[in-house]
Amino acid sequence: MSIESIKSPGGGLVPTNGGPLTEEQIPLAVEDVLTTTPFVDIHTHLYPPAFGKLGLWGIDELLTYHYLEAEFFRSSAAIPKQYWLLSKREQADAIWQTLFVENTPISEATRGVIAVLQAFQLPTDRAGLAEARAFFKAQTIERHIERVLQMAGVSEVVMTNDPLDPEESAVWMKGIGNHRQFRAVLRLDRILCAWSAHWQVLASLGYEVDEPASEKSRAEVRRFLMDWSARMQPVYMAVSLPDTFEYPQETAGNRLLRDAVLPACRELRIPVALMIGVRKQVNPALRLAGDAAGRANLLVLENLCREFPDNRFLVSVLSRENQHELCVYARKFSNLMPFGCWWFMNNPSIVEEITRERIEMLGTSFIPQHSDARVLEQVIYKWNNTRRTLTRILPDTYRLLSEDGRGVTRDDIQRDITRLFRSNAESWTGLHSRGSDAPTET
Ligand code: RAT
Ligand code: ZN
């Protein structure tokens, strides 16, 4: 092998001498750079060990993921009421039996479990789960987290942290140390979307708030957010909003967004993530699996980005029909960053469509994906799927560019993939700026 070439994962030679790549070399270089570049996972529901039982991992959690529960009820005679009475282990057994034994696991979420089992060289076609359970029981969580993130090619994961979740806030109040690979996000759903059910919690904590979210209340919510930001060091604040979200409109949530959340984000120099389009609990019997998606009115983005040029908005939309408009708005407002293919969008066919559209309209100025993992090992299959889809998309993009007259080098590819999967997240969020009063590393 010449010193000016490296062997790609596919076995071909990719020149590293800076010269333009041939048509055959482009896919090899893309695959190689995707494999060797660690990604930042900008939105998950994962936790480091200090959060104890809040951090989900292992085969029973993987099988009872709410994406799989929704599929289970389509293929089983079980009714939700009976299912919720089962233990976690019994639920996992029922889902394995229905979706993996009696049916072929071809859906995205079922295939994900297979890919995780395969990654740990566990059997994928047994009638029972004995081997998998024995394997996960033998792991210690600290070491397992490190190994899983390494297998997923992820250097840092961003959590979802709700200061009004009693279980979670108790952990923060104990004063946990920072984990090297986990960063916090201050989640605002209870404040912005269900204020009337939660203002009294803030009042009981000593904040002078009221139900109508009066001016004094708004200042107090801002104080609450600053207090919790000092505790969590969030890399951004976030809210999931319904498809019916409108701005401006005189609601308590909008008053709090305008006068508490956005000023706090400006002061902290962090963005707010708006995840728009969820139709909460259309079927409450399914619990977490009972939410649906709806097309939203993205005029809200026009209004917010224009009215608040000093705020930055990370935005993901849940409806396929909103994806193109999101790209158009990103072209109009540089304080808008589209991110991820969220939840019902996170299927290879749709990810491929959305990502191609974003590249064509935005170049590399967007964040293509987040995992949304709720169970640790999911990062393995979710990020593997992302890399696999990008291995199809990027070579096409570069081939077209070469045909149009601009040769593409390996350095170009490295720069683009680094920007898409690392530096857009790093420069847009507080990822690499822990405050001076941040707790020490553990
Ligand atoms: O994808 C999911 O797991 C959803 O249930 C939601 O958690 C969503 O990602 C959210 O953050 O609201
Ligand atoms: Zn999420």
Side-chain angles (χ1 to χ4, degrees), residues 254-266:
N254 276 348
R255 283 195 288 279
L256 291 166
L257 176 66
R258 185 189 63 213
D259 297 335
V261 172
L262 294 178
C265 286
R266 286 196 296 274

Side-chain angles (χ1 to χ4, degrees), residues 158 226 246 286 317 329 396 435:
V158 176
M226 294 307 288
E246 293 289 344
L286 299 192
V317 285
Y329 280 124
D396 287 350

Side-chain angles (χ1 to χ4, degrees), residues 43 45 65-67 160 187 189 240 275 280 288 291 342-343 370 372 374:
H43 170 59
H45 298 262
Y65 184 33
H66 68 88
Y67 291 25
T160 297
R187 186 77 177 222
D189 294 25
S240 135
M275 302 166 74
K280 286 258 178 225
L288 210 47
D291 296 346
W342 179 27
W343 198 346
H370 63 267
D372 229 319
R374 275 176 187 268

Side-chain angles (χ1 to χ4, degrees), residues 4-24:
E4 291 192 329
S5 312
I6 57 140
K7 199 139 201 206
S8 81
L13 294 182
V14 182
T16 54
N17 60 1
L21 303 172
T22 63
E23 202 177 312
E24 294 74 43

Side-chain angles (χ1 to χ4, degrees), residues 1 46 77 120 124 130 150 162 194 199 213 221 237 246 319-320 359 381 394 402 412 440:
M1 184 167 62
L46 302 179
F120 291 112
T124 56
Q150 166 95 37
D162 182 350
W199 69 271
V221 170
M237 297 194 197
E246 293 289 344
S319 160
R320 185 181 175 198
I359 289 175
Y381 84 82
L394 286 176
S402 298
D412 291 327
T440 48

Side-chain angles (χ1 to χ4, degrees), residues 377-396:
E377 299 84 3
Q378 289 171 342
V379 291
I380 297 171
Y381 84 82
K382 291 190 182 230
W383 283 112
N384 189 42
N385 287 352
T386 298
R387 285 186 167 89
R388 189 154 54 181
T389 305
L390 268 288
T391 302
R392 278 199 302 275
I393 299 173
L394 286 176
D396 287 350

